[in-house]
Amino acid sequence: VQLQASGGGLVQPGGSLRLSCKASGFTLNFPAIGWFRQAPGKEREGVSCLSSWNDITYTADSVKDRFAISRDASANSVYLEMNNLRPDDTAIYYCAAHLSHSSSYALCHDGPTEWGRGTLVTVSS
């Protein structure tokens, strides 16, 4: 099982980025999958999660209306579209999945069974 995240980088406040996560070793037709982030000096938090079984999503209030999660079943990939980025969005973003259930809410709140390597997002002028 592997989760390969990409797409991080340096962006100015108000800018946009799209993170990608390619899953291998399992198929995105049941598990919950999503994005977490960890800012310097802060705990890791669930940002946005999706059920690959019924496409129900959960997105944290701190990023709602700015971030959107989506899935491409044919590519076995999940994406995080981030708009109107702010300096406090600066963090390492991790792709993660729970292979035993498909609840987006539970994944974002209780954590995953599988973690990918992070990708750094820096929002700064």
Side-chain angles (χ1 to χ4, degrees):
V1 172
Q2 192 171 19
L3 296 165
Q4 183 65 49
S6 61
L10 174 64
V11 62
Q12 293 187 340
S16 299
L17 277 176
R18 186 186 195 222
L19 304 183
S20 300
C21 176
K22 172 74 173 177
S24 58
F26 67 99
T27 303
L28 286 180
N29 58 7
F30 173 74
I33 188 164
W35 295 92
F36 291 71
R37 69 183 181 184
Q38 187 165 23
K42 294 188 177 181
E43 291 187 358
R44 197 173 295 187
E45 63 171 341
V47 175
S48 190
C49 297
L50 174 148
S51 166
S52 63
W53 178 54
N54 57 21
D55 286 323
I56 290 177
T57 63
Y58 167 83
T59 301
D61 287 343
S62 58
V63 301
K64 196 166 287 186
D65 299 327
R66 299 188 298 122
F67 289 14
I69 189 170
S70 62
R71 174 176 71 103
D72 183 344
S74 64
N76 216 40
S77 296
V78 66
Y79 308 97
L80 186 67
E81 190 75 36
M82 305 185 294
N83 298 307
N84 193 21
L85 283 159
R86 308 184 307 215
D88 61 356
D89 293 317
T90 295
I92 299 174
Y93 284 72
Y94 299 88
C95 181
H98 202 299
L99 300 186
S100 298
H101 70 67
S102 60
S103 169
S104 54
Y105 183 88
L107 171 61
C108 262
H109 284 81
D110 301 332
T113 56
E114 312 296 328
W115 286 104
R117 290 187 177 183
T119 184
L120 177 63
V121 173
T122 303
V123 185
S124 175
S125 55

